[in-house]
Amino acid sequence: MPTWGRRTARNIWEAVTHKEHGWKTTHFWGPLANWALVGSAIWDATNHGPEVISIPMTSTMCVYSGLFMRFAYMVQPRNYLLLSCHAFNEMAQMFQLYRGINYKLEKGEKIPITQNEIFSAALAVGAAGAAIKFAPQISAKLSASGLNESLKGFILHPAGPMTIFFWAPTTKWLLSVSNIVDYNRPVDKISTSQQVALAATGLIWSRYSLVITPVNYNLLMVNFVLALTSLYHIGRKIDAMQQETNKPVLQVTAA
């Protein structure tokens, strides 16, 4: 094996077996669970038609992965497994979004996202980017201001709104909201693989949010709710399958 190959293999082995963030820790399994989102998108793209694609959920996934790439780079310990996962997920979800929108247009159906919602989302992302970009200047002014100490403590918290550690989890709340909005979505149009991936991510990340620096209770709550809403949809899917199985079979006898 070439020298660079041995060096790469050694680095991978050291990362996987690292005492503080290797395979025995949530720092490994949390990001690994997120790869299920990528797998779900690829599975749906290759095995299911575009009718199962939820436009609101997939749009949210695109914004979510974009912010979590930055989150993965800034969090301690820095997590390249998580960064690579969200980079792949961004591409997979954008492809699914294209399929879903193209399907709606071909069928003459209304796309379930309005221009106002797109504008609001772009405005929110822009505001978050500005807050993070100018965080040092804003923090300095707030520290010297007479603002209420509790409010000042919230804004200047290591996981507060001046950091990516606030905005990335806050965007993830939209996944839970999208699941709630789809509470009555026909079960045949629910992506089972996507909901299983979201449930697994929610459960594992509930733990991951407590072992990173800074500890992130916003991330804990959003993942707990995401797991619950996804398990609800999985339960609906299983119930529908059982009803289909128990449905009496009509026998036609010859006269």
Side-chain angles (χ1 to χ4, degrees):
M1 181 183 292
T3 303
W4 66 267
R6 290 196 298 271
R7 188 184 306 117
T8 301
R10 183 172 64 252
N11 290 341
I12 293 174
W13 175 254
E14 289 175 354
V16 171
T17 58
H18 195 279
K19 181 180 179 180
E20 295 181 358
H21 51 77
W23 72 273
K24 293 182 179 181
T25 71
T26 319
H27 300 292
F28 176 83
W29 291 104
L32 191 66
N34 267 33
W35 276 98
L37 296 175
V38 183
S40 168
I42 294 174
W43 174 263
D44 284 344
T46 54
N47 292 277
H48 295 110
E51 67 277 358
V52 303
I53 298 172
S54 169
I55 302 296
M57 176 65 79
T58 308
S59 301
T60 303
M61 286 267 202
C62 291
V63 178
Y64 153 76
S65 277
L67 289 174
F68 262 95
M69 282 190 277
R70 175 66 175 171
F71 179 100
Y73 187 78
M74 296 300 295
V75 74
Q76 294 299 319
R78 183 167 291 165
N79 203 312
Y80 292 107
L81 180 60
L82 182 61
L83 176 62
S84 60
C85 164
H86 279 292
F88 274 94
N89 192 50
E90 186 72 32
M91 292 185 287
Q93 297 300 334
M94 288 185 72
F95 175 69
Q96 284 293 82
L97 185 61
Y98 164 77
R99 291 181 69 220
I101 291 175
N102 192 52
Y103 171 77
K104 294 285 185 184
L105 293 175
E106 288 181 352
K107 296 276 288 184
E109 298 179 9
K110 182 180 178 181
I111 298 175
I113 298 179
T114 66
Q115 289 183 341
N116 287 337
E117 289 173 331
I118 295 173
F119 176 76
S120 298
L123 188 63
V125 172
I132 295 168
K133 174 67 176 178
F134 300 106
Q137 298 92 317
I138 299 174
S139 297
K141 289 185 179 296
L142 284 174
S143 297
S145 71
L147 194 66
N148 177 274
E149 289 299 320
S150 297
L151 181 58
K152 187 189 297 186
F154 166 71
I155 296 174
L156 299 179
H157 190 274
M162 307 304 295
T163 71
I164 191 66
F165 305 117
F166 174 84
W167 292 104
T170 298
T171 304
K172 198 168 186 177
W173 276 106
L174 297 178
L175 297 179
S176 296
V177 172
S178 295
N179 256 354
I180 294 171
V181 169
D182 284 343
Y183 79 98
N184 205 27
R185 183 181 174 90
V187 290
D188 61 310
K189 293 187 177 181
I190 291 176
S191 170
T192 304
S193 61
Q194 183 183 70
Q195 293 301 328
V196 169
L198 288 171
T201 297
L203 291 172
I204 295 175
W205 272 66
S206 294
R207 169 60 180 166
Y208 178 67
S209 61
L210 298 175
V211 297
I212 55 176
T213 302
V215 171
N216 201 313
Y217 294 106
N218 187 17
L219 188 60
L220 168 64
M221 291 186 291
V222 68
N223 279 288
F224 180 71
V225 173
L226 180 62
L228 289 181
T229 56
S230 297
L231 288 171
Y232 164 74
H233 282 296
I234 293 170
R236 290 180 63 219
K237 194 82 172 181
I238 293 173
D239 183 59
M241 291 170 61
Q242 289 178 337
Q243 289 184 21
E244 187 66 27
T245 301
N246 296 332
K247 187 179 295 184
V249 178
L250 296 177
Q251 294 183 347
V252 180
T253 56

